[in-house]
Amino acid sequence: MKKYVIRGGNPLEGEVRISGGKNAAVAIIPAALLVNGVCIIENVPVVNDVILLTKIMSNMGAKVSFLDKTTLRIDSTEIHTCAAISELVRKMRASYYLIGALLGRFGNAQVGLPGGCDFGVRPIDYHIRGFEALGATVTIEHGIVNAVAENGVKGTSLSLDFPSVGATINIMMAAVLAEGTTVIENAGKEPHIVDIANFLNAMGAEIRGAGTDTIKIKGVKELHGGRYEIIPDQIEAGTYMVMAAATGGRVKVSNVIPKHLESISAKLEEIGVTVEEDDDFITVSREPSQIMNKVNIKTLPYPGFPTDMQPQMSTLLCLANGTSIVTEGIYEHRFKYVDELRRMGAKMDVDGRVCVITGIEKFTGAAVTACDLRAGVSLVIAGLCAEGMTEISNVQLIERGYEDIVEKLRGLGASIGISDDEPQISEKTGENAG
Ligand code: EPZ
């Protein structure tokens, strides 16, 4: 099984270019099913979830091909089925977007229930209630969501119980070709929600208000083909910003939209890290001798502090002076990675949605296992600044959302390699057992 092997202690120095947004891409790609034409999508991150989606859509009759490393061509003029029930669908959460896209285009969808990171129960009831409000009958049988709008999708007004990212996007997709207008109240405001709305408008949709808590979608007859560039990944950017701070280096994080990173930049500055913003890049630095201050964090929907940065920031706070409190405001159980960080010396106590973090002098290298995408990259962060060697297994989970992470880190001076053989780390010393 593929592993990363990291020798800690190198301050990261240099420039890293951020890839296209993973959570934008895994929504925009299925949204191309709504288009009776050819979409050219640029700045696509080449990560496992994207590759998986292209396979699922090809199996449905879409003609999908990469024109270059990050440009995808999708021709959805000849979709021959409204069913996506293969085991591929269960490998990711974003496969639920196939329901909204198929329902929106054809009034009919049979899609396997999604999988994805395990943070406790992750229902899709908000999505289903939205589809029903649009006139669909939705049943779930044998693990398959069956959504049918016999009289076509009809515009409506609805309010979400919670500003769910996925439900906001999915209902928007189901409504773009509806008869009449749809209004979504208490909508999510994340940058990738705006990105999907901009993509759909570029293809002829009439969506207004994305990025606010009220989105209005005026149904149109058809969407035409076109070209669109995905926004940079704000979570990947935030992750490299934290890595620069954790290792006591200086990193220029380029190809970013600073506004999307405001809550992350603000927290890093509160900790005592230097953050210099420019038009499309941010430079993050910390002198190795510079003490980091403890801070408290609560994750919230955008523009609050993002839950997808909670594991990374909690890892950094393990090295801060004093006791920090991190509250997970979005998921029930998003601290499963703490057990693995404890193996590297972390002092973290979890009680439900709250984690109390007591600062330590340093992490020590160990053999650890990634349990989900962001938890996995947090082990990379700890390994980069640990004393000795760290070996991380289950790294395919990390590669679901971080394009070329090993190459990018090597470009910043990290000592990181990929190993396929037996454990290299001796349990006792954390040194290379070879
Ligand atoms: C998206 O998940 C992201 N995934 C997640 O990123 C991210 O953590 C999350 O948004 C919040 O920002 C993708 O975009 C593929 P939600 P999603 O609907 O859409 C509950 C990553 O690391 N809920 O905003 O599933 C849900 O259980 C991943 O990139 C319902 O109860 O998030 C959660 O507690 C991890 N019923 C809360 O709402 C529903 O129908 C927020 O979920 C839907 C959600």
Side-chain angles (χ1 to χ4, degrees):
M1 178 70 86
K2 184 175 169 182
K3 300 181 179 71
Y4 293 161
V5 182
I6 303 172
R7 176 182 297 285
N10 299 5
L12 298 188
E13 307 279 350
E15 178 173 354
V16 63
R17 177 178 167 71
I18 297 306
S19 304
K22 182 262 289 186
N23 288 343
V26 297
I28 286 175
I29 291 168
L33 286 171
L34 287 157
V35 176
N36 185 20
V38 175
C39 296
I40 306 293
I41 305 169
E42 298 171 341
N43 203 31
V44 175
V46 183
V47 293
N48 294 355
D49 279 8
V50 163
I51 303 304
L52 206 49
L53 269 175
T54 59
K55 284 182 185 154
I56 294 168
M57 288 171 60
S58 299
N59 294 344
M60 299 168 70
K63 296 185 183 61
V64 187
S65 59
F66 275 95
L67 302 181
D68 61 37
K69 184 173 184 262
T70 58
T71 304
L72 202 49
R73 179 184 187 278
I74 301 177
D75 177 354
S76 298
T77 49
E78 291 170 19
I79 300 300
H80 54 61
T81 174
C82 290
I85 54 179
S86 70
E87 76 289 341
L88 296 178
V89 171
R90 285 201 307 273
K91 290 180 184 290
M92 57 191 289
R93 173 105 176 136
S95 46
Y96 54 33
Y97 291 133
L98 294 164
I99 309 170
L102 290 167
L103 187 63
R105 173 96 180 269
F106 303 110
N108 180 16
Q110 284 77 45
V111 178
L113 278 168
C117 302
D118 174 15
F119 312 134
V121 179
R122 294 182 75 188
I124 59 169
D125 52 326
Y126 303 156
H127 302 238
I128 290 170
R129 282 211 293 273
F131 298 146
E132 289 171 338
L134 289 166
T137 302
V138 185
T139 56
I140 297 178
E141 290 162 350
H142 310 297
I144 292 169
V145 178
N146 189 16
V148 181
E150 281 173 4
N151 303 315
V153 178
K154 310 283 188 199
T156 185
S157 290
L158 58 93
S159 180
L160 291 174
D161 292 354
F162 179 87
S164 154
V165 172
T168 301
I169 293 171
N170 231 344
I171 294 164
M172 195 159 56
M173 285 206 246
V176 285
L177 298 170
E179 183 189 321
T181 297
T182 298
V183 179
I184 306 173
E185 298 286 356
N186 196 27
K189 297 184 275 215
E190 276 69 6
H192 38 293
I193 294 175
V194 179
D195 211 28
I196 282 85
N198 290 339
F199 164 77
L200 290 168
N201 283 341
M203 306 301 150
E206 290 191 28
I207 301 170
R208 298 294 174 267
T212 73
D213 45 21
T214 302
I215 300 178
K216 189 172 283 188
I217 305 112
K218 185 169 179 291
V220 296
K221 282 272 177 274
E222 191 176 69
L223 296 186
H224 54 69
R227 182 177 286 269
Y228 190 76
E229 180 177 342
I230 292 176
I231 56 169
D233 191 316
Q234 75 270 21
I235 303 302
E236 185 196 17
T239 303
Y240 283 99
M241 291 164 70
V242 167
M243 287 169 169
T247 58
R250 179 179 176 79
V251 175
K252 177 180 178 182
V253 183
S254 60
N255 187 39
V256 300
I257 299 173
K259 175 150 184 58
H260 293 167
L261 294 160
E262 278 177 352
S263 63
I264 299 164
S265 298
K267 270 304 163 192
L268 286 173
E269 287 178 323
E270 190 183 338
I271 289 171
V273 175
T274 304
V275 180
E276 301 158 82
E277 278 188 18
D278 215 303
D279 291 346
D280 63 351
F281 66 88
I282 287 183
T283 303
V284 177
S285 58
R286 178 177 72 89
E287 290 301 322
S289 58
Q290 190 181 335
I291 300 290
M292 290 189 280
N293 315 312
K294 59 111 179 158
V295 299
N296 296 333
I297 291 176
K298 176 166 186 177
T299 67
L300 291 166
Y302 190 86
F305 190 87
T307 177
D308 292 348
M309 279 297 301
Q310 180 263 93
Q312 300 92 310
M313 193 60 90
S314 298
T315 302
L316 181 66
L317 290 172
C318 288
L319 301 174
N321 182 35
T323 300
S324 303
I325 296 174
V326 176
T327 306
E328 174 53 56
I330 306 295
Y331 293 107
E332 294 151 32
H333 307 295
R334 196 170 191 168
F335 289 112
K336 281 170 63 179
Y337 63 93
V338 166
D339 289 342
E340 296 303 297
L341 282 180
R342 283 200 189 109
R343 294 167 59 83
M344 300 178 72
K347 284 187 181 158
M348 305 170 88
D349 294 301
V350 177
D351 180 2
R353 290 179 179 240
V354 177
C355 180
V356 177
I357 303 170
T358 305
I360 57 173
E361 190 191 334
K362 62 181 182 308
F363 287 111
T364 53
V368 289
T369 303
C371 60
D372 68 62
L373 162 61
R374 309 302 175 183
V377 85
S378 299
L379 299 175
V380 173
I381 295 170
L384 289 170
C385 51
E387 180 184 82
M389 303 289 287
T390 297
E391 188 177 85
I392 304 170
S393 49
N394 241 5
V395 297
Q396 69 282 1
L397 294 180
I398 300 172
E399 295 176 353
R400 289 184 53 198
Y402 287 91
E403 183 183 58
D404 297 337
I405 183 168
V406 171
E407 294 77 7
K408 289 185 177 182
L409 284 172
R410 281 181 177 156
L412 294 171
S415 174
I416 180 170
I418 294 174
S419 152
D420 281 321
D421 49 29
E422 291 312 304
Q424 310 258 319
I425 306 279
S426 74
E427 284 298 316
K428 287 190 292 298
T429 64
E431 277 307 318
N432 198 324

